[in-house]
């Protein structure tokens, strides 16, 4: 079974993160796949659903959804609160 991770944001289709991470996972023979979810705000609920259902293991969140991610996080660190 492949563990899925994604970068979530808007206007990020140019991101090289999936290519870079998937190369690293392949080189280390780790059964992970890193994808890209370039979505509008209306798609954010699906991100939470996919995390809660186990379809996604983890997401990295970029603009413009960083504040949203902070607001829905179950745990927050002080370092995140001040950045």
């Amino acid at each position: 079974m492949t563990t899925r991770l994604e970068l979530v944001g808007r206007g990020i289709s140019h991101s090289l993160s999936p290519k870079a991470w998937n190369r690293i996972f392949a080189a280390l023979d780790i059964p992970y796949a890193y994808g890209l979810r370039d979505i509008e705000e209306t798609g954010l609920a699906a991100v939470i659903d996919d995390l809660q259902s186990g379809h996604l293991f983890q997401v990295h969140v970029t603009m413009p959804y960083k504040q949203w991610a902070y607001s829905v996080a179950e745990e927050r660190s002080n370092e995140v609160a001040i950045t």
Side-chain angles (χ1 to χ4, degrees), residues 59-72:
V59 293
H60 298 153
V61 180
T62 192
M63 297 306 288
Y65 303 129
K66 289 181 180 273
Q67 187 65 37
W68 165 82
Y70 181 79
S71 72
V72 299

Side-chain angles (χ1 to χ4, degrees), residues 8-59:
V8 175
R10 187 172 63 216
I12 59 170
S13 60
H14 65 280
S15 175
L16 300 177
S17 293
K19 191 176 202 175
W21 279 111
N22 286 321
R23 280 188 187 162
I24 292 167
F25 297 148
L28 297 174
D29 197 29
I30 299 172
Y32 283 15
Y34 195 98
L36 190 68
R37 196 179 295 210
D38 192 334
I39 57 172
E40 297 296 323
E41 191 171 342
T42 56
L44 293 174
V47 174
I48 298 297
D49 290 344
D50 287 346
L51 284 165
Q52 291 176 337
S53 70
H55 177 72
L56 282 173
F57 173 67
Q58 185 179 65
V59 293

Side-chain angles (χ1 to χ4, degrees), residues 70 75-83:
Y70 181 79
E75 294 182 34
R76 297 178 192 101
S77 69
N78 288 335
E79 292 83 8
V80 171
I82 60 174
T83 57

